[in-house]
Amino acid sequence: MTNTTVEPDEATRLRNDVVEQLLADGTIFSAEIEVAMRKVPRHEFTPNTPLEKAYDPYAAVITKMDEHGVQLSSVSAPQIQAMMLEQAKVRPGMRVLEIGSGGLNAAYLAELVGEEGEVVTVDIDPAVTDRASRLLIEHGYDKVRVVTADAAEPIPGLGEVDVVMVTAGAWDIAPAWISQLKPHGRLVVPLRMRGLTRSIAFTQVSGEHGTYLESESALICGFVPMQGSTAHREELLLVNGTPEIGLRFDDGLPADPHRLDNAVTTPRHEMWTGVTIGLQELLDTLQMTMAIALPGFCIMAVDEDLDTGVVAPSNKRFALAAVEGDSFAYLVTRRTKDNKHVEYGVHALGPKAQHLADKVTDVLRDWEANHRGGPSPIIRVYPASTPDEQITADRVIDKVHSRIALSWPPA
């Protein structure tokens, strides 16, 4: 599997620089993945892209957008690709199904499975698969099987595979992904839960009531959403009927959203929590703590062109928020005196603003005491038909095909 073209020295240097950076930050820790990412010419799979952009360790390359500017296809950042490859634990001789094609990741997988292994890459968009097929053949990866199909359905003639690797943002777990896995196989998928996306490495577990998936790792990521029968859009609630303040819900709107209509007519309640974090501290467990603990968890965004100052989030495009009845609250931050940390605060509006702000503050302090710096919650995937009494969890999220159970590991 060698590249038949002569690469510019600059591309080789940049590719090695990317690998060195990902080794240094701990993203790459397997020699096999290091070798594959040094070998495959990433820039050849991102044509018409400047070398510096193609080899940015932390930036994706967008390859297709719709008429509204919505991203439909991309080549993930090297950091995300390396992270998911490490989660997948692909070994020589394995059979791998990749869902969401582009060519580059399939080339990495082909290097990892070797001559005795097999890679099948699937995408619903024929333009994407045509491009992937052409690039793979051009660069010596002609053994990779490229399929145009909706991967929510079983792939004809595939049989069972050791690893299913999903490289598009998924809201649900399609039953076909599980049915095509060998016993104890591995599913790596960027799964969206309550508006938060994590790249999760699942393994199959046999329990008292049947087989389910259990997470081995869950890492923050972002992905172009999946298309086809498993596509799912968040629902947007415009507070007071105006486009200024939008609350995005991933699993359905509140039972009576009109109860929020008058929330913005009340004075804004503001409080500071005393919970501080470092400027570079990861917030994955904080986000998940709020998503698990608060039934009305959502994401708030403010249209900057229409902003009247009714709300004042630190980030107008993405603020963790929660709704309870006729009130809503969101997180804010401010720099501490040493300018090395930020403190979390809570703003709330509505008749029960103070009560909700107190509740969100309690969640923040629980995170600080019990989950900060600790492991992510354990994520289990059960069939949608699984009854409540067979699931023990801190939060269960019902999807179309599955029930996602989130539980904090024992202290």
Side-chain angles (χ1 to χ4, degrees), residues 176-191:
W177 303 347
I178 302 173
S179 67
Q180 293 170 130
L181 272 182
K182 291 181 180 179
H184 310 295
R186 181 175 294 267
L187 168 66
V188 179
V189 55
L191 182 63

Side-chain angles (χ1 to χ4, degrees), residues 328-356:
F328 71 97
Y330 58 91
L331 294 192
V332 292
T333 59
R334 66 181 178 186
R335 289 289 183 102
T336 55
K337 290 182 179 180
D338 65 6
N339 209 35
K340 297 179 180 178
H341 300 79
V342 294
E343 179 186 5
Y344 275 107
V346 182
H347 289 180
L349 295 95
K352 299 182 180 65
Q354 182 172 348
H355 170 76
L356 183 54

Side-chain angles (χ1 to χ4, degrees), residues 196 198 220 273-294 320 331-333 341-345 358-377 408 411:
L196 306 175
R198 298 291 185 269
I220 290 179
T273 67
V275 176
T276 62
I277 63 167
L279 297 180
Q280 302 300 319
E281 185 171 345
L282 287 176
L283 301 179
D284 55 340
T285 54
L286 172 59
Q287 293 176 344
M288 292 304 295
T289 298
M290 291 188 64
I292 290 172
L294 297 168
L320 301 179
L331 294 192
V332 292
T333 59
H341 300 79
V342 294
E343 179 186 5
Y344 275 107
D358 289 341
K359 180 177 286 190
V360 175
T361 297
D362 288 343
V363 171
L364 285 172
R365 290 172 178 163
D366 174 66
W367 166 76
E368 184 178 45
N370 297 308
H371 305 302
R372 183 176 185 172
S376 299
W408 290 107

Side-chain angles (χ1 to χ4, degrees), residues 266-319:
T266 64
R268 188 169 71 209
H269 178 75
E270 302 181 2
M271 64 183 299
W272 293 98
T273 67
V275 176
T276 62
I277 63 167
L279 297 180
Q280 302 300 319
E281 185 171 345
L282 287 176
L283 301 179
D284 55 340
T285 54
L286 172 59
Q287 293 176 344
M288 292 304 295
T289 298
M290 291 188 64
I292 290 172
L294 297 168
F297 178 79
C298 58
I299 306 298
M300 186 182 80
V302 179
D303 188 321
E304 296 191 53
D305 294 332
L306 302 174
D307 187 10
T308 62
V310 172
V311 292
S314 305
N315 183 338
K316 295 185 186 298
R317 293 180 298 174
F318 184 95

